Amino acid sequence: MQTPSSPHGTAAAAGAVSAGASGQGHAGTKAKYTIGVDFGTLSGRAVVVRASDGAELGSGVYEYPHAVITDRLPDSSERLPADWALQVPDDYRGVLRQAVPAAVKDAGIDPQDVIGIGTDFTACTMVPTTSDGAPLNELEQFANRPHAYVKLWRHHAAQPQADRINQLAAERGEFWLPRYGGLISSEWEFAKGLQLLEEDPETYAAMDHWVEAADWIVWQLTGEYVRNACTAGYKGIYQDGQYPGEEFLSALNPEFKDFVTAKVEHRIGQLGAAAGRLNAEAAAWTGLAEGIAVAVGNVDAHVTAPAARAVETGQMVAIMGTSTCHVMNGEELAEVPGMCGVVDGGILAGRWGYEAGQSGVGDIFGWFVNNCVPPAYYEAAASRGLGIHEYLTELAAGQRIGEHGLIALDWHSGNRSVLVDHELSGVVVGQTLATRPEDIYRALLEATAFGTRTIVEAFNSSSVPVRELVVAGGLLKNPLLMQIYADVTGLRLSTVGSEQGPALGSAIHAAVAAGAYDDVHAAAESMGSDPADVYDPIPENQAAYDELYGEYTALHDYFGRGTNDVMHRLKAIQRSAIDAGLTEGSEA
């Protein structure tokens, strides 16, 4: 591994704002700033960025009070069915009220010098609203209806609807299906919308707009509803200027015929454009000046590519957190089996943006330490002044590759790419009475790296070559994990210098929306982050991991490609048992 000291990019569009470290620009001009807000799975983060050079001057974080709802709605005793994941939309407003003012205060700047604000969101995260943007769960008559709440990206209960969409699209030869790797995910807006219609038609009828949270938060900021080109393309099946047609939707369900025209279709804004101006209410929440530019919404993964200055072809950006999203640009349109999508201008104007991903990464590590690590390990970690992840990583780092005798499948939250099947589940093979927690922990780290290699190989074999891996997100702080990824993929891996890559990317888009730069590419050159660390694959480690990857692939295909459908059968048994329990509970 080596740590570079690469020079900061200097190319910027004509007319870009410039300012020195003192806050005064060249020729005495005053520094200008933008704010990027990243809405994650459990919290929202705001960063104040100097528009001239991307310096991050202050930040604020707000933890969602309701986190992720998987068991019961607030103030309800009724359990949710399996695979549900909901959120409360007012938690998102809390980020604007709390994190943004905190970031401005931390930066020590005059809020009047902020020229724009940009946001990004997890996706596909859907909000059912009235015509004026009010979330249905905030209406008294729908407060106890699960389908009236936000469906988070990891809500996987719409798998049966996704299966029907895929089957029908394949039978009809729909032109758009290959652009999503041949399969639509249960995470996306059409599957979730069809589930809403079929399970709660009254709530569906009351819904005027089925809104990506990325667009809903911009609606809150501006008072204007603008769909962003990124989520419309990747999650909304919007290709070549059109959504799936009424004939297709009617064949899924006659009541679904007008889903696009009645619930989804709306003006689409291009990335980097201004969706509108900050309205009075949002100005009061944030403490910013009314009327500043608000950028069109974006997705946390896709907006990170400019922050990392990784927008050239061959650079795959992996945003590693609770899940991982892989994005990259290409000059040509290609069909990659199992990819999440390819969208014209989905990341950067004038290029095809590709997306793939893994539904569980950091979530898997978190699940393991929360449920499978004995108290003695926590005590040992505390005595060393270490967190439990740091302690397990230290123990795992002392092992030779393959020493633990294990191989794992990273499907604890299903498989997003390349199998696109959220009915799949996690596996650890090779455990004995001598297996220790650090053994399993390292096997899980390696499993997620094998999952990424599977994605990389799918792109390489489809004439979309991956030459470099650029990592952003919270997990880049683990050097063992980063080296494992470099060794497993055989790629040079660099980590983004910014600790808040998505928020920085949103601030870059805000600078373009405010007119400080001509386009996102130019803004990224000036405001993007330098690499923090670079990891080169170690040849002997590569050879050792090639052998283990062969075993991973054998298990991957055995359980994931139909040889043994035991995971699907277990899901069905689980669902039946839970449904029976819910029925008994309601009768009681």
Side-chain angles (χ1 to χ4, degrees):
M1 187 191 85
Q2 58 184 7
T3 303
S5 56
S6 55
H8 198 287
T10 56
V17 293
S18 60
S22 66
Q24 295 295 317
H26 302 300
T29 59
K30 196 172 184 181
K32 298 298 180 184
Y33 310 94
T34 59
I35 291 178
V37 188
D38 170 39
F39 291 84
T41 298
L42 297 174
S43 64
R45 296 159 289 279
V47 173
V48 175
V49 177
R50 192 163 55 208
S52 61
D53 61 1
E56 298 173 38
L57 305 177
S59 63
V61 179
Y62 179 73
E63 303 286 338
Y64 302 149
H66 297 93
V68 180
I69 300 169
T70 59
D71 187 29
R72 291 174 174 84
L73 294 181
D75 303 319
S76 174
S77 60
E78 293 187 19
R79 288 184 61 194
L80 293 171
D83 299 324
W84 279 61
L86 307 178
Q87 290 197 309
V88 175
D90 195 53
D91 289 354
Y92 306 148
R93 296 191 190 101
V95 178
L96 303 178
R97 299 186 188 105
Q98 303 294 328
V100 173
V104 172
K105 181 179 180 180
D106 186 44
I109 65 165
D110 185 344
Q112 296 298 311
D113 293 329
V114 175
I115 59 174
I117 183 170
T119 59
D120 65 83
F121 233 102
T122 63
C124 174
T125 296
M126 300 304 302
V127 190
T129 78
T130 62
S131 60
D132 62 358
L136 291 187
N137 77 289
E138 296 181 358
L139 305 182
E140 184 177 355
Q141 64 269 39
F142 293 105
N144 292 319
R145 298 280 191 95
H147 280 289
Y149 284 74
V150 174
K151 286 186 172 66
L152 184 63
W153 62 269
R154 71 184 193 195
H155 175 92
H156 294 149
Q159 188 64 50
Q161 286 77 15
D163 291 341
R164 285 162 48 205
I165 292 172
N166 290 327
Q167 182 178 351
L168 182 64
E171 291 172 354
R172 290 169 54 92
E174 296 287 340
F175 83 92
W176 43 263
L177 190 62
R179 296 192 185 181
Y180 300 100
L183 293 166
I184 295 301
S185 171
S186 65
E187 295 181 358
W188 297 357
E189 66 181 60
F190 276 66
K192 288 174 174 171
L194 184 57
Q195 183 200 14
L196 194 164
L197 165 67
E198 295 179 338
E199 296 183 5
D200 191 348
E202 186 176 355
T203 298
Y204 181 88
M207 176 181 70
D208 292 306
H209 295 292
W210 187 226
V211 186
E212 272 278 0
D215 301 324
W216 181 81
I217 202 67
V218 170
W219 196 352
Q220 297 290 295
L221 289 166
T222 65
E224 299 181 41
Y225 176 26
V226 179
R227 292 209 75 189
N228 72 85
C230 184
T231 54
Y234 290 106
K235 314 302 179 186
I237 320 182
Y238 184 76
Q239 292 283 349
D240 296 348
Q242 59 185 306
Y243 296 97
E246 287 189 353
E247 184 180 347
F248 176 82
L249 300 176
S250 181
L252 289 169
N253 185 316
E255 299 300 317
F256 204 53
K257 177 180 179 181
D258 64 350
F259 177 65
V260 167
T261 55
K263 312 290 187 182
V264 169
E265 200 164 35
H266 213 79
R267 177 167 70 90
I268 293 179
Q270 298 304 307
L271 305 183
R277 299 286 163 178
L278 193 69
N279 63 25
E281 183 177 34
W285 290 341
T286 59
L288 303 178
E290 183 179 353
I292 64 171
V294 179
V296 167
N298 212 322
V299 179
D300 49 5
H302 304 70
V303 79
T304 302
R309 290 206 209 99
V311 294
E312 304 304 325
T313 58
Q315 293 181 298
M316 175 175 278
V317 182
I319 298 82
M320 297 178 61
T322 55
S323 64
T324 293
C325 189
H326 306 77
V327 298
M328 65 183 296
N329 283 305
E331 298 290 348
E332 306 291 338
L333 173 63
E335 297 176 1
V336 181
M339 68 178 171
C340 297
V342 54
V343 175
D344 188 7
I347 301 171
L348 194 70
R351 290 183 181 167
W352 289 94
Y354 291 86
E355 178 191 342
Q358 294 166 265
S359 296
V361 180
D363 266 356
I364 299 175
F365 312 148
W367 161 82
F368 179 74
V369 300
N370 290 336
N371 295 282
C372 305
V373 177
Y377 276 69
Y378 282 89
E379 294 166 5
S383 70
R384 297 272 312 284
L386 299 175
I388 189 61
H389 287 283
E390 293 175 283
Y391 182 62
L392 287 170
T393 296
E394 183 180 277
L395 294 176
Q399 298 182 356
R400 296 181 62 83
I401 295 170
E403 182 180 330
H404 51 51
L406 304 174
I407 196 77
L409 292 177
D410 52 319
W411 298 345
H412 296 65
S413 191
N415 182 283
R416 186 183 296 163
S417 299
V418 297
L419 299 171
V420 197
D421 186 348
H422 292 290
E423 299 281 275
L424 298 175
S425 49
V427 171
V428 179
V429 174
Q431 296 178 94
T432 71
L433 295 178
T435 300
R436 300 163 299 175
E438 59 266 35
D439 299 333
I440 302 173
Y441 191 76
R442 177 161 182 144
L444 293 174
L445 299 182
E446 293 166 342
T448 66
F450 294 144
T452 286
R453 176 168 169 176
T454 303
I455 291 168
V456 168
E457 291 188 352
F459 275 81
N460 286 337
S461 63
S462 302
S463 301
V464 186
V466 180
R467 301 186 181 90
E468 178 188 1
L469 197 60
V470 181
V471 175
L475 296 183
L476 60 79
K477 298 175 184 177
N478 186 322
L480 172 64
L481 185 64
M482 295 300 98
Q483 188 63 54
I484 287 172
Y485 269 65
D487 293 337
V488 167
T489 62
L491 295 170
R492 166 169 281 199
L493 183 154
S494 60
T495 62
V496 178
S498 171
E499 293 188 1
Q500 301 290 354
L504 173 59
S506 288
I508 288 172
H509 282 73
V512 179
Y517 294 88
D518 288 341
D519 55 43
V520 174
H521 193 281
E525 283 296 309
S526 285
M527 298 177 67
S529 176
D530 290 326
D533 296 306
V534 174
Y535 298 80
D536 286 308
I538 299 168
E540 55 267 34
N541 291 355
Q542 278 185 264
Y545 276 127
D546 282 347
E547 184 176 0
L548 285 176
Y549 179 67
E551 300 299 339
Y552 173 91
T553 300
L555 287 176
H556 175 283
D557 292 350
Y558 179 72
F559 287 113
R561 299 194 186 276
T563 304
N564 190 332
D565 288 329
V566 62
M567 294 178 180
H568 296 89
R569 296 194 297 273
L570 289 174
K571 276 283 186 181
I573 292 169
Q574 178 191 44
R575 198 169 285 124
S576 294
I578 291 174
D579 289 346
L582 293 173
T583 301
E584 291 173 4
S586 63
E587 290 173 351

